[in-house]
Amino acid sequence: MRLATIRTTEGTRAVRIDDDFAVELGHPDLGALLRRPGWRAEAASADGPRHELTAVDYAPPVPSPEKIVCVGLNYRNHILEMGRELPEHPTLFAKFARAQVGAYDPVAPPAGSDAVDWEAELGVYIGTEVRHATPEQARAAIAGYTVVNDVTARDFQYRSPQWLQGKTFEASTPVGPWLVVTDEADTDEQQPLARELTCSVDGELMQKADTGDLVFDPAALVAYISRIVTLVPGDLIATGTPGGVGHARKPPRYLTEGSELVTRVEGVGECRNTLVRG
C-alpha cells in the first residue's frame, strides 16, 4: 500500500495511491493519519474523493514531522570511500521540516554555497510511538519507507565539526513521493531490507548500492534513536548514503543551477528534482 500527501486547491490531503487514482483518506496529511490507532486498516478501507494520478501534486509525505533524524557514515563502501573506519555507534544529526520539498518539486540550491552535493537515501517513517525499543518493537514501529536525497552544502557542512548547517537549508531535501507501508503482520521479514538505491545527475549514474550494505539497518536505527528520544508517528529517519557522492570524486563534482537530480529506491519510488534558484 502506498500513501501520500497531495496538494489541492483546498489544501493538502492524505491519500492512498491506487492504480489510476489518489483516494482521499479524510485527513489533511499523513502525519495526521499516522497518529490514529489502526491507521493501516483505515487507509486500506478509505473511499473518499478521487484524484487522477496524472494531475496529482505531491507534497512531502509528512509535511511537518516532529523530527527528522539523519544518519551519517552508514554504508560500508561510503565509509571506506571517505577514509574512515566502520563506526561502533550511528552518527546522528537533524534536519528541520522546512528543509523538505516534494518528490517533483524544484530544489533551491543553498544560498552562498559553491559545493552542493547529492546523497541518495532510504527514508524510514515511524508509525507507532516508541521509547527504549527492543529489536522487535523497533521493527513494529516502522510504518514504511520513502525516498530521500540529503542535498548538502559541503562548504557549510565542514565549517565546523557539527554538520547541521550544511544539511538543513530550506527547500533543499526531496522526500517522497509516498510512503510504502510495511506489513504489520510480517515484521520478521522487514529487516534487513535489501533494495537497489541509485542517484543520477543530468542522466549520469552517480550512486548505486544495495540498502543491505547499511551498517545499521532501519530497525537498529529505530532502537538506537529511541534510547535517546521518543520517536512518534510521522518522524522520519534518513538512513545514510552510499559511495559516489560528488565531494569524494577527483576532482570534486557538484550540482549547479539547472541540474536534474533523480533518486530511486527499488520497490519504493523515485524523486525527480531540478535545482532552481528562487
Side-chain angles (χ1 to χ4, degrees):
M1 184 166 59
R2 296 175 297 166
L3 306 178
T5 297
I6 64 171
R7 303 179 181 107
T8 75
T9 55
E10 290 80 32
T12 60
R13 298 288 185 269
V15 297
R16 184 184 68 242
I17 304 298
D18 291 345
D19 290 340
D20 299 311
F21 296 97
V23 180
E24 290 193 24
L25 306 179
H27 299 281
D29 58 56
L30 287 190
L33 173 71
L34 293 174
R35 289 191 291 271
R36 291 180 58 83
W39 60 265
R40 283 180 174 85
E42 181 178 343
S45 63
D47 192 22
R50 296 169 179 256
H51 305 261
E52 291 189 6
L53 290 185
T54 55
V56 161
D57 180 13
Y58 292 98
V62 180
S64 298
E66 181 180 293
K67 294 180 286 297
I68 303 175
V69 182
C70 304
V71 184
L73 304 173
N74 197 27
Y75 277 84
R76 290 170 178 83
N77 67 331
H78 182 44
I79 294 168
L80 298 175
E81 173 186 67
M82 302 300 282
R84 300 174 183 264
E85 296 182 357
L86 294 181
E88 184 178 354
H89 305 291
T91 297
L92 304 180
F93 58 96
K95 285 181 180 282
F96 302 116
R98 286 182 180 268
Q100 298 185 112
V101 297
Y104 306 105
D105 291 342
V107 167
S113 175
D114 296 318
V116 183
D117 204 352
W118 55 85
E119 291 195 5
E121 309 203 12
L122 174 71
V124 177
Y125 276 114
I126 300 299
T128 303
E129 183 171 314
V130 65
R131 175 74 164 145
H132 298 298
T134 65
E136 293 76 16
Q137 291 169 335
R139 284 192 290 271
I142 294 173
Y145 302 100
T146 194
V147 180
V148 178
N149 199 303
D150 177 20
V151 173
T152 301
R154 297 295 185 197
D155 39 5
F156 280 77
Q157 178 186 3
Y158 295 122
R159 284 181 173 181
S160 77
Q162 301 297 322
W163 293 355
L164 183 140
Q165 63 185 313
K167 294 286 190 175
T168 195
F169 278 85
E170 291 195 16
S172 66
T173 305
V175 183
W178 42 61
L179 158 67
V180 176
V181 177
T182 58
D183 184 346
E184 190 175 31
D186 196 25
T187 55
D188 287 343
E189 299 300 324
Q190 290 173 14
Q191 306 300 336
L193 185 75
R195 302 290 176 85
E196 184 178 85
L197 170 75
T198 62
C199 178
S200 297
V201 178
D202 296 329
E204 183 179 351
L205 183 64
M206 296 296 181
Q207 292 180 284
K208 182 178 179 180
D210 190 309
T211 59
D213 191 44
L214 288 168
V215 178
F216 304 101
D217 69 24
L221 292 172
V222 171
Y224 183 80
I225 295 167
S226 76
R227 293 167 55 190
I228 301 167
V229 63
T230 300
L231 290 169
V232 300
D235 283 350
L236 174 62
I237 301 172
T239 58
T241 201
V245 299
H247 189 69
R249 294 173 180 268
K250 310 235 183 262
R253 177 171 172 178
Y254 300 114
L255 299 169
T256 59
E257 174 82 6
S259 292
E260 185 185 48
L261 188 63
V262 179
T263 316
R264 295 189 182 99
V265 179
E266 174 193 9
V268 177
E270 172 186 288
C271 293
R272 186 178 292 267
N273 309 88
T274 301
L275 270 70
V276 178
R277 295 196 183 276

